Amino acid sequence: MALSIDSDLCNGCGKCIEICPYGGVELKEGKAVLNDRCTACGVCIDTCKVEAISSDIEEKEIPDFSDFKGIWVFAEQRDGVSSRATFELLGLGQSLAQKLNQELSAVLLGYEVDHVIEELKAFGAQNIYLAQHKLLTHYQTNPYAKVISEIIAEHKPNIFLIGATTIGRDLAPRVAMRLSLGLTADCTELTVDPEDGSLLQTRPAFGGNVMATIKTLYSRPQMATVRPGVMEAKMADGPAQCRITKKDVSLLDKDRLIKILEVVREKKKGVSLADAKVIVAGGRGVGSEEGMESLFSLAEALGGEVAGTRMVVEEGWLPVESQVGQTGQTVRPELYIACGISGAIQHRAGMLGSRYVIAINRDERAPIFEVADWGIVGDLHEVVPTFTKAMMDRRAKQGT
Ligand SMILES: Cc1cc2nc3c(=O)[nH]c(=O)nc-3n(C[C@H](O)[C@H](O)[C@H](O)COP(=O)(O)OP(=O)(O)OC[C@H]3O[C@@H](n4cnc5c(N)ncnc54)[C@H](O)[C@@H]3O)c2cc1C
């Protein structure tokens, strides 16, 4: 694809220059011209009010997908224990299914996993595609991708959602590739376009500096992986009515590329931020590893966990699993106390689901205050110990 600008039509307004993320357009003698940084992404075309920019690609006709129906969620489980991401996706799936008036299904693969069915029902699955086979006992890319691709080809869903977990990030592109589908990875928001009912898939782009919303125009199902912790797990409202659609699995030894000899679980070290009700998070403003001590004391007083920004992890003040944000964990505590954190978009991406946010920062213009329910402008080295003491005194009074 190549772009061209008709200089007779161009009025030199500069809108295309502002929107181009690559610096691929510039103004010469009052007219916009493309330079060698243009990637022909086409983002400028719609901003040109005088229609001076065109591409040599003819608009492809969008196929009729009316026979693709239903919202599907991959029911990830390990050793018969469902992942949290599964319930979060079912929570999201319930609202998408309601908006589109389509059925919500879970796709469950494994071996002797019948007990998982009840949980999937409770979280709103109206149908479960169930595939059981010894070779599906532990997750393996090839057998899982093969079986899921077959179920999709047979039943034609409209939307297929997978958690952006370690397994999901491996599985989703394999399925998309096998079926020549589009895939939007690591979404943080999914809604339905009220105009045409298609799925609007939002994810950070350009190094997290902008949020891009993507539509899958030319293939079905619309496939997306969703960051764990972003959506809310929600039990179904009414009594669970659920069909089971069994899939006959024919897997042969040659369908697996690896043979699992033994499963050795790594001992989980560090904190469990995913389940924490209170998180005390530190940023560069904490100043040092020793400075983190006061955050640990506050977390202890509140029965919470300590987390941090990428800066804090890079400084070595906290381990990497404590990082909250776009490239760290996504958390949803009841209370998030941000201490000495500026509130960069990449950090906010990981904590916006918190119920309440308290920000402590000595700069009253720090962006973290935009997302805080309560803001304290001050030195955290004074505020945090005062806060901790007040909590400890209160606990002592209550005898807890
Ligand atoms: C692709 C990409 C991915 C990223 N992913 C992540 C991510 O997952 N998580 C993440 O956190 N960041 C991430 N970042 C980095 C992010 O852009 C910011 O640089 C980072 O979040 C800033 O960390 P900070 O708030 O600790 O530090 P700063 O931005 O330096 O802010 C420090 C704040 O502390 C305040 N302060 C200083 N001293 C005190 C004091 N004594 N008392 C009170 N306040 C004080 C200052 O006013 C300031 O607001 C990513 C960046 C990129 C490009």
Side-chain angles (χ1 to χ4, degrees), residues 168-390:
R169 283 169 202 252
D170 181 71
L171 175 67
R174 301 304 181 111
V175 173
M177 186 63 202
R178 275 174 184 253
L179 298 171
S180 303
L181 303 174
L183 168 68
T184 309
D186 228 9
C187 293
T188 52
E189 195 187 333
L190 291 165
T191 50
V192 170
D193 185 335
E195 273 180 21
D196 61 6
S198 61
L199 188 67
L200 298 175
Q201 306 147 45
T202 303
R203 54 151 297 152
F206 298 117
N209 291 316
V210 291
M211 299 303 280
T213 298
I214 293 157
K215 260 172 121 167
T216 310
L217 294 179
Y218 302 108
S219 61
R220 288 294 181 275
Q222 300 159 92
M223 257 186 90
T225 62
V226 183
R227 289 199 101 191
V230 176
M231 306 297 166
E232 209 172 338
K234 198 170 138 258
M235 303 274 283
D237 287 337
Q241 294 286 336
C242 184
R243 290 179 291 114
I244 309 292
T245 310
K246 285 195 178 161
K247 156 88 181 146
D248 288 331
V249 181
S250 56
L251 284 172
L252 303 171
D253 244 14
K254 69 174 174 53
D255 290 319
R256 61 175 175 186
L257 303 178
I258 54 164
K259 193 169 178 185
I260 297 174
L261 301 178
E262 192 188 353
V263 178
V264 183
R265 298 244 172 268
E266 192 188 13
K267 260 210 168 147
K268 216 168 170 49
K269 42 184 189 314
V271 295
S272 166
L273 294 180
D275 303 319
K277 295 270 177 275
V278 176
I279 292 177
V280 180
R284 187 160 29 197
V286 173
S288 64
E289 192 171 355
E290 296 71 50
M292 295 302 298
E293 284 309 316
S294 65
L295 272 60
F296 278 99
S297 305
L298 178 58
E300 200 186 327
L302 294 168
E305 299 282 358
V306 173
T309 63
R310 185 156 109 175
M311 291 304 152
V312 163
V313 169
E314 280 175 2
E315 291 289 348
W317 304 341
L318 284 178
V320 68
E321 55 272 18
S322 304
Q323 182 183 320
V324 170
Q326 186 190 318
T327 42
Q329 297 207 45
T330 305
V331 295
R332 306 181 65 90
E334 291 289 311
L335 178 62
Y336 190 86
I337 307 177
C339 311
I341 291 176
S342 59
I345 186 169
Q346 296 89 354
H347 183 74
R348 280 150 59 162
M351 47 69 75
L352 274 182
S354 308
R355 182 138 188 226
Y356 297 110
V357 176
I358 299 178
I360 306 165
N361 198 304
R362 64 180 180 194
D363 177 4
E364 63 181 15
R365 289 158 309 159
I368 192 72
F369 288 128
E370 291 163 21
V371 294
D373 297 282
W374 296 280
I376 302 170
V377 180
D379 186 338
L380 69 93
H381 300 298
E382 290 167 18
V383 178
V384 172
T386 312
F387 199 166
T388 309
K389 185 171 178 313

Side-chain angles (χ1 to χ4, degrees), residues 65-234:
F65 291 121
S66 51
D67 51 336
F68 285 76
K69 292 239 160 30
I71 320 307
W72 288 17
V73 162
F74 173 59
E76 181 181 325
Q77 56 80 26
R78 284 181 197 223
D79 297 336
V81 179
S82 297
S83 78
R84 212 180 114 115
T86 302
F87 303 132
E88 291 169 0
L89 289 186
L90 285 171
L92 166 69
Q94 285 181 50
S95 81
L96 294 176
Q98 204 176 20
K99 280 186 193 142
L100 291 166
N101 197 18
Q102 294 186 9
E103 190 175 63
L104 174 61
S105 296
V107 183
L108 175 60
L109 273 64
Y111 184 58
E112 298 178 342
V113 285
D114 300 76
H115 60 281
V116 177
I117 291 171
E118 284 309 312
E119 290 175 344
L120 300 176
K121 274 189 199 174
F123 279 86
Q126 297 161 313
N127 173 47
I128 295 170
Y129 291 100
L130 176 65
Q132 302 208 72
H133 192 282
K134 225 169 173 169
L135 286 183
L136 299 175
T137 306
H138 297 292
Y139 172 75
Q140 285 191 54
T141 314
N142 223 37
Y144 268 62
K146 178 175 188 285
V147 172
I148 290 178
S149 303
E150 284 171 9
I151 306 177
I152 290 177
E154 193 179 340
H155 297 278
K156 297 186 172 171
N158 179 18
I159 293 170
F160 186 33
L161 306 175
I162 298 181
T165 58
T166 316
I167 288 180
R169 283 169 202 252
D170 181 71
L171 175 67
R174 301 304 181 111
V175 173
M177 186 63 202
R178 275 174 184 253
L179 298 171
S180 303
L181 303 174
L183 168 68
T184 309
D186 228 9
C187 293
T188 52
E189 195 187 333
L190 291 165
T191 50
V192 170
D193 185 335
E195 273 180 21
D196 61 6
S198 61
L199 188 67
L200 298 175
Q201 306 147 45
T202 303
R203 54 151 297 152
F206 298 117
N209 291 316
V210 291
M211 299 303 280
T213 298
I214 293 157
K215 260 172 121 167
T216 310
L217 294 179
Y218 302 108
S219 61
R220 288 294 181 275
Q222 300 159 92
M223 257 186 90
T225 62
V226 183
R227 289 199 101 191
V230 176
M231 306 297 166
E232 209 172 338
K234 198 170 138 258

